[in-house]
Amino acid sequence: MSAQLLDGKIMAAELEEQLKNRVEALKEKGLTPGLTVILVGDDPASQTYVSNKEKACARLGIHSDTLRMPPETTQEQLEAEILRANADPAIHGILVQLPLPRHLDSDRALSLILPEKDVDGFHDINAGRLSRGMDCVVACTPKGALHMLKTAGIPIAGKEAVVIGRSNIVGKPMALLLLQENATVTVCHSRTADLAEHTRRADILVAAIGKPRFVTADMVKEGAAVIDVGINRVDGKLCGDVDFDAVKEKAAYITPVPGGVGKMTIAMLMDNTVSAAEKAL
Ligand code: NAD
């Protein structure tokens, strides 16, 4: 069996078409959605992510304002910029690109972003509201992964879902979203005993670990939907947390890396920004 590819490029392009219409509708009412991205330091991966976000804004007609700050930026300088963007009525979304240089306190910085402008969904209030099943801004990567499952018509309610990884930005919100969709959810992590015993039960398996090709075919149930969130670089090439070539022969659905969840993350950032602008209107 060879799995059906869940193509992030195609799904993100479809979403962008809908977003263009929503941006147009806002502009007709005199409002242009605006996103501020704050990038501190010169991490090459972060620079690539930020430039991809700028390009997505340009494609959709969203005003983007990237603030590139030097590596020696102080906490006070960073916080002053967040407060400035909070107060700017032309800005509906604020994103602080992570990771920040080690001398900066990212939790403190993120907590200063107005929750309604927190388009990454990392603010304590949005994370708390998600855990209570309330309306909130949902973190872009898990939101994108869920969108892929739903777009492909993969049943979630009543299914066994296993998430590997418990980070605040991917694993935990992913588990909460699947729970909201009435899956039976298991969260695995680095201290899980006998990981494969859990993953082999999964109808939906989400890998958010950060270890290249960690999920092998023997860890996957025949006919599972496998969502690979990982982005790893091996010999200069990108690969996911899933051993794609072997697992695709066993799974029913699989996301590629690159061209999978990563594309959806940016599309969902745009979605969160447009939604924030719609709410502001
Ligand atoms: P993280 O380092 O914060 O968390 C990794 C998680 O994996 C931890 O909870 C840890 O317990 C778990 N883990 C580590 N080793 C394990 C093991 N041997 N067995 C089971 N669990 C183990 O990472 P993160 O920020 O959640 O990101 C995870 C991956 O997703 C990374 O590759 C990252 O680059 C990628 N990512 C991709 C996107 C995207 O847009 N596609 C967005 C964010 C992160």
Side-chain angles (χ1 to χ4, degrees):
M1 173 182 188
S2 196
Q4 184 180 322
L5 201 67
L6 300 177
D7 191 323
K9 263 188 256 170
I10 293 175
M11 290 189 196
E14 285 166 1
L15 201 69
E16 281 199 5
E17 283 311 307
Q18 296 165 19
L19 285 169
K20 274 183 197 159
N21 294 334
R22 285 166 62 194
V23 171
E24 269 316 303
L26 282 167
K27 286 186 174 173
E28 276 165 22
K29 291 177 185 149
L31 188 148
T32 299
L35 172 70
T36 283
V37 177
I38 302 177
L39 171 62
V40 186
D42 40 26
D43 175 60
S46 292
Q47 293 194 0
T48 306
Y49 293 143
V50 168
S51 122
N52 288 341
K53 287 163 189 172
E54 287 175 317
K55 284 182 198 151
C57 283
R59 285 197 299 274
L60 299 183
I62 294 174
H63 165 66
S64 85
D65 168 23
T66 304
L67 202 67
R68 290 182 164 79
M69 303 181 79
E72 62 276 12
T73 298
T74 64
Q75 186 77 23
E76 290 69 31
Q77 287 168 328
L78 171 62
E79 290 181 6
E81 290 303 338
I82 293 172
L83 296 179
R84 186 192 55 76
N86 274 348
D88 185 345
I91 294 302
H92 307 94
I94 304 170
L95 181 152
V96 175
Q97 183 65 45
L98 299 178
L100 286 171
R102 277 151 66 131
H103 67 281
L104 295 174
D105 181 343
S106 50
D107 284 344
R108 198 186 132 97
L110 295 179
S111 72
L112 284 180
I113 298 173
L114 282 177
E116 59 270 30
K117 293 193 178 188
D118 165 42
V119 282
D120 247 345
F122 294 165
H123 193 284
D124 301 341
I125 292 207
N126 283 316
R129 290 177 71 91
L130 178 66
S131 76
R132 300 190 65 167
M134 297 162 78
D135 181 43
C136 64
V137 185
V138 177
C140 304
T141 301
K143 184 176 173 179
L146 181 68
H147 183 88
M148 295 180 99
L149 289 168
K150 287 188 158 183
T151 305
I154 295 165
I156 305 175
K159 297 294 175 188
E160 290 280 344
V162 174
V163 179
I164 319 177
R166 57 175 162 183
S167 71
N168 289 331
I169 64 172
V170 190
K172 275 186 211 156
M174 186 76 242
L176 289 168
L177 287 175
L178 290 164
L179 196 58
Q180 258 174 36
E181 297 294 326
N182 300 310
T184 301
V185 182
T186 304
V187 182
C188 299
H189 47 80
S190 54
R191 307 285 292 274
T192 297
D194 202 351
L195 179 66
E197 189 195 317
H198 296 282
T199 59
R200 276 189 215 115
R201 278 190 287 108
D203 301 305
I204 296 167
L205 180 60
V206 181
I209 313 160
K211 294 202 157 109
R213 304 188 188 101
F214 180 87
V215 176
T216 47
D218 61 308
M219 296 168 72
V220 176
K221 178 177 173 177
E222 191 87 36
V226 179
I227 307 291
D228 190 352
V229 179
I231 300 179
N232 309 290
R233 204 169 276 276
V234 177
D235 299 330
K237 281 180 76 181
L238 289 185
C239 75
D241 288 345
V242 174
D243 181 1
F244 182 86
D245 289 336
V247 170
K248 79 174 186 339
E249 298 306 322
K250 207 164 174 194
Y253 300 91
I254 191 166
T255 62
V257 178
V261 178
K263 293 277 173 206
M264 298 307 296
T265 297
I266 297 202
M268 287 303 167
L269 173 67
M270 299 298 114
D271 184 47
N272 284 348
T273 303
V274 174
S275 295
E278 287 167 346
K279 283 193 182 135
L281 191 77

